[in-house]
Each structure stands twice: as structure tokens, then as C-alpha cells.
Amino acid sequence: MEWLNGSRRRWASLLTLFCVLCLLVTPAVTVKHENFKTCDQSGFCKRNRAYADAAISTSKWQSPYTLDSSTVKFEKGVLTGMVTKKLVNTDTKIRLPLKITFHESGTARVTIDEEKRQKGEIELRHGSKARKERYNEAEKWAIVGGTAVSTGAALNKDAEKGSTRVMYGPGSKFEAVIKHAPFGVQFKRDGETQVKLNDRGLMNVEHWRPKVDKPEKEVKEGEEAVVAESDKDAGEDESTWWDESFGGNTDSKPKGPEAVAMDVQFPGYQHVYGVASHAGPLALKETRGGDGKYSDPYRLYNTDVFEYEMDSPMTLYGAIPFMQAQKKDSTVGVFWLNAAETWIDITKSTSSANPLSLGIGGTTSTETHWISEAGLLDVFVFLGPTPQDVIGAYGELTGFTQLPQQFSIAHHQCRWNYVTDEDVKDVDRKFDKSKIPYDVIWLDIEYPEGKKYFTWDPLNFPDPIAMQKQLDDHERKLVAIIDPHIKNEGNYHIVDELKSKDLAIKNKDGNIYEGWCWPGSSHWVDCFNPKAREWWKSLFRYDKFKGTAKNMFVWNDMNEPSVFNGPETTGPKDNLHHGNWEHRDLHNINGMTFHNATYDALLARDKEEDKHNVRPFVLTRSFYSGSQRLGAMWTGDNQAAWPHLEASIPMVLSMGISGYPFAGADVGGFFGNPSKELLTRWYQAGAFYPFFRAHAHIDTRRREPYLAGEPYTEIIAQALRLRYGLLPAWYTAFHEASTTGAPIIRPNYYVHPGDEKGFAIDDQLYLGSTGLLAKPVVKEGQEEQVIYLADKEKYFDYFDFWQYEGPGMVSVAAPLENIPLLMQGGHIFPRRDRPRRSSGLMRFDPFTLVVVLGNSGDAEGTLYLDDGESFDYQSGSYIHRRFKYQAATATLTSEDVGTAGKMTKEYLKKMEKVRVEKVIVVGAPDGWKGKKEASVSEEMAGKSAPSRKVEMEFHAKADGKAAWAVVRDPGVQVGGGWNIAF
Ligand code: NOJ
């Protein structure tokens, strides 16, 4: 008995221990694969993969597409002609109008349509009201510039028979060689082929055809119906042409099969990047199976993928069908302008000039296969040769990221949810009490009454204005969520107006679409409709959305759209939008239209209504090419787990090279409770995301940094102070992004496109053009970090000036309190060294300049500065300086690189007292030993004033640490011209 009792007790304590452990360990959550299609379950993807398999396995394969030579015309930079597709068992030829446009920027565009659909000469099934054309409005949303047609593009008369050649681009260095039969285009730069379209013959335009009902075969019970091969149209798999079911939803497909596909080859290019967003490495993997490769193509179909998994080609919330290919010293790219569901297969092949060399010394090429469910075949080709040439040209087309308000690049504190206005005020006070800087606090879906956006819960948020006022006292902001689903409930003015004004998305029968989301039964605003966008604008007016103040901005979530009971958690493909376009045609743009409407609404709220000329801030979850113009994105619902922290770096880097640099991931992880170590490391990494927001799920424990306890709170606070100190450098990088499209955080290949060893590196990043190189720790218990230095250059530890020398791997100590951060020689970057509660309070703080001397002894850097808030910079209200240090004269100079506008003087006057309070020279020459002074001369009214002496300190090299010098208070204006001679 005694024994039994003892045993029971032991079991009981084991059980308790087990339960406690279960509570401590974050449950391993993982995506429900059965809710999302694989290529095999997506009819058009499966058909096109099968088409590719047939083409590749048949040595005699010939693509059935021909450009009819007699139709080819070239006029003013545009080539037109008729491509025909010959059907296998008949003489029928499907007519596919072709247009190749050569742009002044050096970008070429190949567009293929289908004549019958274009002319509306098709019949829709089920009495559908859908548009008959292939969707041709993607460009309306995505493209904003860079389309001036080249005046210099010209036919090359030397073209061989059966082909047309067009010389174009800068200095006519580019050439498009258009082969007529089978149709294909090769793009050359300096005579060398860089990109090939349809070279493998995988082009496929699924033409319209009427459904021919086959005679029913007599099938005995229990036997499967077998359709005779001769009944099938050229052996094609018809099973998913006319309707398709998945997860209990049936897509009625009134237009029949209409996919477009094409192979795009990059000969000699080993690496490809882009097609964001996926949770995987920056350098894209092969997708046709095999060791360490994916077996499904990369998918682009904006979806609310609950608990998404790591290292996967599965789709996520946003789609950017832009890909870059990289080989030594050459970058090229393609942009597949199509808004329908898209899959991209990637394979690589190695060829060798010498068959006996067994691949050694051979070149690797990358082959890609793009497959979209509907729409035009529309592809832009960029011939580089640098990563910036390609990203810049893509940015010219789709727009650069807006210059954001400064607060939005500072630290954001979010959780689902801060439950009352008092709660918000309390959190705000606690940040101050713990001296932790932050700029923005966020409200998730619990603040409105019953999830009815544009209202406040009267019990929990009785006085939102007082709450915003408290935030404003320290120049802080509020961001509140507004989703696109509108609660379907009587007496809710928003839904009443949505219905009465007829502005909602429709179902396939043309009635208002109803689905399920946070509020329960909901309708969705159709922002493709200009009237809906106008209406949306009116809703944000201060007198309409009562309780909102000027320091309130917006978060757009669930805009894929997320529909809890919809196919793959989104809208049915046969839903109808404004203009009767089917949802399938434009699905991937849907999120952007909503984001766009909100952006315009905030612009109108502040500009037209209030003359308050501030830049809007809107965060979006769903996005497409062009969304970067409207605000920030984040990577959605990640998990409080180390692999998610690790994945966040390549994911955010990938956004940067995809033209959408204002990106971040939920700091701390959305689902689950991070350990304190993970939380701390995440803040250190987050300090290097362009968009830096902590966020957590409603079921998680509170985790504001002041709750972590020591030493964690202080270490997190240090990471935050580092971010705040470097805000001038971040803001300068944002300015560069907003004028050139350059990424804000940059992967190795972008900075060192000649260094093949670094092409696959995606766990370290350069911040803008500052030369700052960070490699945050993303593994548990790790205390040392190995950083790859690509160039023969000096690098210095940011904190203690320890000197490293590239190229090669270097090891940096990384105990919990250290962020591995190096400074590359040859750069100058700006900083502000006085910690404050929020970035707004730093507006008139003085600057520190850090001059980092490398092997050449020279260094250079820039500072861009404006009020961080309004559009006045567009009228010249800004300071833009270039700092140069020249070894030959040991002089640091500040020169103006801005163009004066009508508000320049006024701004300079305002900033007159803002000075450079410190200049630090890292890697200072040994010869400065004993120097105690530097001399400063300032430009006054365009002339140099007599120089004056200022104090300088020199610190000699010690224990591997570089020599450095500091000039304290040189007394120069940040906006003025001056030089300091050392
Ligand atoms: C999903 C978003 O991804 C998440 O960040 C948010 O907290 C929830 N929706 C609730 O609004």
C-alpha cells in the first residue's frame, strides 16, 4: 500500500512536471497543408507542368507558336505582329497579337494577348456576366513610369532570315533577337545572350474554346469512366478546364481554361532572387525535387496562410513577380506583370565546353517556367548590368517607396490588443519610466465596437482623444487597424452605405458577396471601383471617424482578402469586381487597391480637409508590385521561435531587392511566448529591419521590453537606443530608396556583385550606403558570430573599433549584450547621440559624424534631413549634404548636394542652430599622434570665413583596436558648408 501510494505520488509529480513543461514550451504549430493547393491540385499549374515535362522529354519537341513574318512591323520603338498557335490535330491557328515595346530606360516589354477574347468573340458559361477579355488593367495599378518609348531603338538590318533584330538601350548596347518559328526572343547585352524567352518551348497560351460535352459512356457501377484518347483535344487533360473543386468550394470557371505560361532562361546565371514573398532563403531554390530542393514551384497567390512554415515555396500574403539573376559582375531581371495566381518553377543546369571536364569549370544556367492562371502574357526584361540598374529600372516602372514620416522608421509597439484607452496610456507611461524610446503604439481589432471599423468600443475606449493627446505630448502616434471586411449587421452606418451605394465585391451571380471574417458575416469593399475609393476617402475625415486625432494613422490587415470560409482562406475566384472582372484575374492586386484607397484617404484627410500637409502612414499585409509607393509591409504571422527570427533576415532582404524596402517582421514572434533570450535577440535584429515593430497574438503573455527584467530590459533598451542614434542614417537610406529604388538593407550580392562567394549569403546586411554591416544573432545560446567580408578592406567593430581585414571570414564576440556590427572603411555616416523618448523630440538635436578610414585613406557619406513629417521637402525644405574626407589633405568637407527650392532658405533658417557636435575618425593615421587641434573653416555667404582652431583628441592603436580621433564641438552647422583640417 505504502509502495503504491509512493508510486502514485511519483506519477503525480511527473505528470505535474510534464504539464509545467508543456506550458513552458511554445507549442510547435504548423501550417495546415490540406488547406492550400499544391501545383498538382491547381489545375492550370498541373497542366503546364505536364506540358513542360512533355516538351523536355521529347527530343523532337517543337513549340507550336510562330510569329507570322508578314505581320511584323516596327515603328517608333514598338514592334507588333501576329503570333499564331497551331493546334495539333487540326489546321486551326489561334491568333495571338504580339507587341514588343522598347523603353527609353533600356527595359523591353513583351506582351501577348488573344484576339478572340480581346474582341469579345467568346461565350461565357453559366450565364456569367464576367468580362470576356484577358485582364489588361494590371498595368493601371502597378506601373507609374519608365514607359517612355525609345526613340533610338532601331532594326538591325543584318538579321538572318526568319528573325528580326532590334538594337536598343543605352548606347544601343542591347539587342532583342526575335525568332519567328518557333517564336522566341533572346536578349543580348554587348553581343552576349543574357535572357531567353521560350527557348525551351514551354510557352503556352490556353486559348478560348467552347465546351463540347462528350457523350456519356456506359459505365458500370464501381468502374471509373474512361474517356477514349481520341475524344480528348490533342491529348490534353481536360479535367480541370470547366470547373474545379478544392476544400469543398467549387470554382465555376465560366471562361474555361485560360492560363499563360513561358519559360525564361538565364544562361550562365547561377543565382536567382526575388518573387517575394516566401519564407525561404534569398537565393531561390530549385523546385523540381531532389536533395535539398523543393518539389513544388514558388507560388504567388496572396493568402492568409495561418502558421506558415519555414523554408518553403508556399505562397504568403503578398506577390511581387519580379526576379533577378546574378552571375559575376552581371545582373539581369524579368518582371512578369500578371495579377492572377502564378507559379514559378526553377531548375539549374550545368554545361561544360569540354565533355571530359565532368562539369568542372562548366557554367551553370538557371531556367525558370512562369505559369499564370489568366490574364495577358506580359513580361519586362531588364539587362542590368548592375543589381542597382535592374532594381532601379523596376522601381522606375512600379514606383519608388515613398519617403516615410520619420516616426514610422522608429520603434513601434503593438499587440493584439491594448484593451482600453487607460491601458494604452499606462503602457506609454511605463516606457517613459523605464527610459525606453518608442514612437508608436498600435490598436488591433478589439478597439472598435463589435469589430465595426470606424467606431470605438464605448466601454473600453471612452476617451480616445485624451489617449491620443497623451501620446502627442511626447510626439508619439497611434496606429489603428482598419480591415476590408465590413460587418454585415443592421444599423451599422458603414455597411448600410456600402450596400446602398453598391460598392461591395459581388459573387458570381452579381449579388453582394457574403463571407466570414473577424466580425462574423461580412461584405468586402471593392477598391477596384473608383466610387468605392472616393467613399473610402470620406470615411477617414475627422468629423466622420470621430475620436481620431492628427497623430492617428492606419494599419490595413486581412486584405488578400482573408475570408475564413473561402477557398484557401480567400475570395472565390469567380467573384466579380468593378468592371465585371473576375476575382481570378486580379486577385494579387486586391490588397494593393485597398492599401491605395487608405493611403489616399489619409492624404485627403490631412491635406484637403485640414491643410495639414503630412505624409500618410499605412501598413499593409497584402501587397503587389507598386505597393511600395504607399507605405510599409510586414511578413505576417510568424512564431516566437528561433527559426522564424532566422528567416526574417532573408525575408526582409528579399523585399528590399524586390523594390519594397520598407519591410519588417513581428519582433518577438506573433504566435507563442518567446524566451527572454529570444526576445532580446529579436529586438537586436529588429533594430535592423527598415520597419521595426514588436507585435504579439492575443493569447500571448505581455512582453513590453520593460517587463523582461534585467539584464534583458537594459540590453533591449540599448538596441533601441542604437536604432534611435542611427535614425539619421536610416532616414538618409530611405531618402535614397525613395529617389533611386535602392534597397535600405542590402545583401552581399547587391554591394559586391563581383564576389561570387557572397551570392548566397543572406544572414548579414549592409545598412544603406553607410558601410555599416550587421549580422544579428539568430541562434539560441550563440555567443560568437562569423561575418563574411567580401572585399579587401578594413572593417571596424562599431562599438570598440576592433580592426578586421577583408576578404574572408572574421569572428566577432557576440554575448547577449552585443550586436555584431561592423563599419566598412571608406564611409562616413551621421548619428544623433542624445537618447530621447521619441524621434520627434530629436528634431533639433545636434549630429555626430563618424568617419571610417579604410585602405585608400579617403571616405565619403551623405546626410539627408527634413522635417520628417510634411511634403515641404518637395518644395526644397531639406538639407542634403555630402561629406568627404580626403587623405591627401587630411580634410573633411561638407558640400551641398540638394537642389534649392522655394522653401530651402526657410528650412535652413529653422535648422540654423543645429550643429555637428562631434566628429569621430576611426582608423585615424598614426601620424596624428600628439595632435591636439584641428582647424575649421566655414562658408559664410558663399565665402570661406577665416579658420579657427578646435580641440581634438587622438587615441592610439591598442590591442587590435584601431587608432581614433575625436573633434568635439567643431561648432559647424549641419546645413552649412565647411571643412575641418586635421
Ligand atoms: C492577422 C494579422 O496578421 C495579425 O498581425 C493581427 O494581430 C490579427 N490579424 C488580428 O487583427
Side-chain angles (χ1 to χ4, degrees):
M1 205 50 157
E2 196 34 42
W3 177 87
L4 235 186
N5 275 344
S7 166
R8 258 194 212 142
R9 264 201 302 274
R10 261 195 305 278
W11 273 111
S13 38
L14 276 178
L15 196 68
T16 320
L17 183 68
F18 177 74
C19 294
V20 169
L21 283 177
C22 287
L23 283 177
L24 288 178
V25 174
T26 307
V29 279
T30 184
V31 68
K32 290 198 172 50
H33 280 277
E34 64 277 20
N35 290 351
F36 302 97
K37 290 182 184 176
T38 58
C39 175
D40 220 37
Q41 291 164 317
S42 179
F44 73 95
C45 186
K46 186 178 178 187
R47 295 196 296 271
N48 278 284
R49 257 195 169 185
Y51 190 87
D53 288 341
I56 291 160
S57 62
T58 318
S59 56
K60 283 199 221 98
W61 174 263
Q62 226 201 331
S63 167
Y65 295 85
T66 302
L67 171 60
D68 178 349
S69 301
S70 67
T71 61
V72 177
K73 273 199 204 119
F74 182 78
E75 222 179 310
K76 294 194 182 121
V78 181
L79 181 143
T80 51
M82 187 61 74
V83 169
T84 58
K85 169 187 182 184
K86 188 185 163 312
L87 299 191
V88 181
N89 293 333
T90 71
D91 285 336
T92 311
K93 286 186 176 170
I94 307 295
R95 290 164 64 83
L96 307 169
L98 164 79
K99 185 172 170 190
I100 306 183
T101 316
F102 298 92
H103 296 131
E104 205 60 89
S105 60
T107 303
R109 177 183 189 178
V110 178
T111 313
I112 294 173
D113 203 335
E114 181 184 345
E115 195 176 70
K116 272 210 160 182
R117 294 192 201 251
Q118 207 177 39
K119 293 185 170 165
E121 291 168 355
I122 68 166
E123 282 155 34
L124 303 182
R125 297 168 62 241
H126 317 299
S128 166
K129 296 194 185 70
R131 278 282 269 272
K132 293 182 171 172
E133 303 100 296
R134 288 181 171 273
Y135 185 60
N136 54 15
E137 295 188 355
E139 69 174 5
K140 195 172 114 187
W141 294 99
I143 307 289
V144 290
T147 51
V149 174
S150 168
T151 45
L155 285 179
N156 181 343
K157 299 275 183 300
D158 296 337
E160 307 76 50
K161 201 167 178 303
S163 72
T164 307
R165 289 172 165 238
V166 179
M167 313 294 296
Y168 69 104
S172 293
K173 278 190 308 192
F174 301 163
E175 187 178 20
V177 181
I178 303 140
K179 227 171 91 200
H180 298 183
F183 169 70
V185 192
Q186 299 203 355
F187 290 91
K188 300 187 173 195
R189 191 183 66 223
D190 295 324
E192 200 185 310
T193 303
Q194 314 287 342
V195 181
K196 298 192 212 174
L197 304 185
N198 201 31
D199 196 63
R200 294 196 296 157
L202 311 189
M203 173 172 166
N204 187 21
V205 178
E206 292 183 337
H207 60 280
W208 182 79
R209 60 209 102 187
K211 182 170 191 303
V212 181
D213 286 317
K214 306 215 164 67
E216 287 212 354
K217 294 268 182 293
E218 271 184 36
V219 182
K220 288 199 193 115
E221 216 177 311
E223 271 185 12
E224 272 188 41
V226 180
V227 180
E229 229 10 73
S230 56
D231 284 351
K232 288 194 186 166
D233 184 7
E236 291 176 281
D237 172 13
E238 207 181 313
S239 60
T240 49
W241 279 4
W242 309 111
D243 54 46
E244 209 171 328
S245 295
F246 182 76
N249 290 282
T250 298
D251 173 7
S252 63
K253 300 179 79 162
K255 297 182 279 177
E258 51 176 330
V260 288
M262 173 86 99
D263 57 279
V264 180
Q265 249 180 305
F266 302 104
Y269 287 83
Q270 196 166 359
H271 291 282
V272 283
Y273 312 103
V275 296
S277 168
H278 297 95
L282 179 72
L284 303 174
K285 289 193 179 184
E286 290 183 63
T287 59
R288 282 295 204 137
D291 240 10
K293 301 172 183 170
Y294 299 143
S295 51
D296 246 26
Y298 283 91
R299 186 182 190 202
L300 293 175
Y301 188 58
N302 297 349
T303 310
D304 185 355
V305 181
F306 189 67
E307 292 168 348
Y308 65 79
E309 64 182 1
M310 301 289 85
D311 197 8
S312 164
M314 268 180 93
T315 194
L316 288 178
Y317 314 88
I320 302 189
F322 167 47
M323 179 185 275
Q324 291 166 64
Q326 181 69 28
K327 66 177 184 185
K328 189 171 167 41
D329 291 319
S330 179
T331 317
V332 294
V334 292
F335 170 38
W336 178 266
L337 178 56
N338 188 298
E341 179 184 347
T342 297
W343 299 79
I344 305 123
D345 257 324
I346 299 173
T347 49
K348 295 184 186 182
S349 60
T350 303
S351 69
S352 158
N354 173 3
L356 297 177
S357 70
L358 299 174
I360 300 162
T363 46
T364 298
S365 296
T366 303
E367 289 103 31
T368 64
H369 181 202
W370 298 67
I371 309 166
S372 290
E373 184 178 11
L376 300 178
L377 198 161
D378 201 0
V379 53
F380 292 75
V381 177
F382 310 96
L383 293 182
T386 69
Q388 181 52 34
D389 289 337
V390 174
I391 298 170
Y394 168 79
E396 244 186 281
L397 287 174
T398 59
F400 300 140
T401 197
Q402 60 151 354
L403 183 63
Q405 286 214 41
Q406 179 173 267
F407 80 79
S408 65
I409 67 167
H411 167 217
H412 301 249
Q413 180 62 45
C414 185
R415 82 168 272 112
W416 177 14
N417 215 96
Y418 291 113
V419 291
T420 62
D421 51 9
E422 281 309 320
D423 188 11
V424 170
K425 291 201 268 185
D426 183 51
V427 171
D428 178 61
R429 279 190 292 265
K430 284 183 172 139
F431 266 99
D432 282 347
K433 206 164 153 226
S434 342
K435 298 199 167 48
I436 300 178
Y438 92 99
D439 270 52
V440 194
I441 190 160
W442 291 55
L443 291 179
D444 209 321
I445 49 173
E446 310 301 327
Y447 79 86
E449 187 179 15
K451 314 266 189 313
K452 291 183 278 187
Y453 307 112
F454 303 101
T455 69
W456 296 89
D457 182 313
L459 289 179
N460 294 322
F461 290 87
D463 196 352
I465 291 291
M467 169 181 74
Q468 288 159 89
K469 163 85 180 54
Q470 179 179 316
L471 298 174
D472 190 47
D473 286 346
H474 296 127
E475 299 231 18
R476 290 193 178 124
K477 322 287 170 190
L478 178 78
V479 172
I481 200 165
I482 302 271
D483 289 350
H485 46 254
I486 307 293
K487 187 170 187 169
N488 177 21
E489 185 185 89
N491 292 330
Y492 170 33
H493 65 289
I494 304 287
V495 85
D496 292 344
E497 286 178 29
L498 180 79
K499 285 184 187 164
S500 66
K501 293 177 190 285
D502 192 21
L503 302 175
I505 297 176
K506 308 273 171 54
N507 63 19
K508 66 177 173 18
D509 305 316
N511 301 317
I512 189 166
Y513 171 67
E514 192 252 349
W516 209 256
C517 206
W518 297 126
S521 168
S522 305
H523 300 305
W524 275 260
V525 52
D526 180 12
C527 289
F528 286 88
N529 184 344
K531 288 200 182 119
R533 295 201 299 275
E534 273 311 304
W535 171 67
W536 197 247
K537 238 187 216 178
S538 73
L539 301 181
F540 289 81
R541 296 176 63 99
Y542 295 109
D543 58 356
K544 194 97 192 253
F545 189 176
K546 297 221 168 67
T548 56
K550 287 177 192 162
N551 60 335
M552 180 274 201
F553 298 87
V554 180
W555 170 16
N556 282 165
D557 188 19
M558 315 295 275
N559 47 338
E560 296 74 22
S562 175
V563 180
F564 294 161
N565 60 338
E568 299 192 88
T569 343
T570 190
K573 285 180 170 167
D574 47 14
N575 267 358
L576 293 172
H577 288 260
H578 174 70
N580 282 337
W581 293 111
E582 271 201 294
H583 186 68
R584 103 183 57 252
D585 293 324
L586 44 73
H587 172 85
N588 283 344
I589 291 182
N590 185 79
M592 176 159 82
T593 63
F594 182 62
H595 188 197
N596 200 334
T598 307
Y599 179 90
D600 286 348
L602 289 192
L603 201 62
R605 173 189 80 167
D606 291 326
K607 207 169 181 175
E608 290 158 21
E609 185 186 351
D610 196 51
K611 308 272 174 275
H612 189 60
N613 175 30
V614 300
R615 301 170 222 164
F617 171 77
V618 189
L619 175 76
T620 183
R621 190 170 73 175
S622 184
F623 54 87
Y624 188 73
S625 299
S627 295
Q628 71 270 11
R629 304 186 300 261
L630 311 164
M633 63 71 70
W634 92 109
T635 61
D637 299 347
N638 58 5
Q639 292 173 33
W642 289 94
H644 281 259
L645 166 58
E646 193 173 346
S648 70
I649 309 243
M651 287 175 85
V652 175
L653 280 172
S654 178
M655 292 306 298
I657 57 116
S658 303
Y660 201 158
F662 197 2
D666 282 350
V667 169
F670 180 65
F671 294 115
N673 295 303
S675 67
K676 291 185 178 179
E677 183 191 347
L678 175 58
L679 185 68
T680 307
R681 289 302 197 189
W682 214 317
Y683 272 97
Q684 293 178 337
F688 289 92
Y689 298 158
F691 175 62
F692 181 17
R693 183 187 73 154
H695 184 37
H697 187 271
I698 196 166
D699 294 337
T700 60
R701 289 193 287 272
R702 291 261 170 146
R703 52 162 104 131
E704 289 68 34
Y706 50 77
L707 294 174
E710 296 309 341
Y712 306 99
T713 296
E714 182 49 30
I715 298 175
I716 295 171
Q718 274 168 16
L720 292 166
R721 282 181 217 128
L722 174 73
R723 170 67 169 227
Y724 275 70
L726 286 171
L727 277 178
W730 280 95
Y731 197 63
T732 303
F734 267 92
H735 177 259
E736 192 185 337
S738 74
T739 50
T740 68
I744 290 162
I745 61 169
R746 302 174 178 175
N748 250 77
Y749 91 86
Y750 176 93
V751 183
H752 305 286
D755 175 45
E756 288 167 289
K757 284 196 209 124
F759 286 174
I761 290 182
D762 59 8
D763 53 2
Q764 57 184 53
L765 58 98
Y766 285 89
L767 164 53
S769 302
T770 61
L772 287 167
L773 170 59
K775 184 169 177 181
V777 172
V778 293
K779 289 213 158 64
E780 188 168 16
Q782 192 181 323
E783 298 232 313
E784 198 181 303
Q785 188 68 297
V786 176
I787 303 184
Y788 176 69
L789 306 180
D791 48 345
K792 190 168 166 31
E793 185 50 279
K794 287 184 186 127
Y795 283 75
F796 305 90
D797 186 279
Y798 181 85
F799 302 98
D800 67 6
F801 306 158
W802 192 276
Q803 187 174 319
Y804 301 91
E805 195 80 43
M809 301 285 197
V810 297
S811 177
V812 175
L816 189 61
E817 62 276 17
N818 275 24
I819 304 179
L821 177 60
L822 303 182
M823 304 180 283
Q824 184 191 26
H827 295 273
I828 301 176
F829 61 88
R831 231 169 49 185
R832 272 174 158 158
D833 285 347
R834 303 182 180 203
R836 306 250 181 218
R837 299 165 201 238
S838 73
S839 71
L841 299 174
M842 298 167 85
R843 188 166 296 125
F844 298 110
D845 278 355
F847 286 84
T848 292
L849 295 179
V850 183
V851 180
V852 189
L853 300 184
N855 288 337
S856 76
D858 297 336
E860 204 177 301
T862 56
L863 166 71
Y864 173 84
L865 184 67
D866 60 24
D867 65 17
E869 178 178 60
S870 76
F871 284 102
D872 289 350
Y873 71 92
Q874 292 174 346
S875 310
S877 182
Y878 65 86
I879 288 170
H880 197 185
R881 313 291 309 180
R882 175 173 294 118
F883 307 111
K884 268 191 189 158
Y885 177 83
Q886 272 163 325
T889 52
T891 307
L892 173 68
T893 49
S894 166
E895 63 186 47
D896 194 1
V897 282
T899 327
K902 69 177 194 302
M903 295 181 82
T904 309
K905 268 201 184 135
E906 194 185 313
Y907 184 65
L908 284 175
K909 181 96 192 96
K910 215 186 262 170
M911 299 300 284
E912 201 175 45
K913 295 213 168 68
V914 179
R915 58 189 214 288
V916 175
E917 67 171 346
K918 217 188 299 167
V919 176
I920 300 172
V921 182
V922 182
D926 292 337
W928 289 8
K929 198 166 171 188
K931 277 200 175 213
K932 298 235 163 28
E933 284 176 343
S935 70
V936 175
S937 86
E938 272 181 282
E939 221 176 72
M940 299 284 186
K943 289 192 199 117
S944 287
S947 65
R948 52 191 166 74
K949 299 286 178 208
V950 288
E951 257 180 56
M952 158 179 164
E953 270 167 40
F954 177 80
H955 301 261
K957 272 190 194 132
D959 306 333
K961 291 180 190 164
W964 60 285
V966 57
V967 172
R968 277 183 228 283
D969 205 3
V972 289
Q973 285 178 17
V974 73
W978 44 260
N979 64 61
I980 302 176
F982 290 85

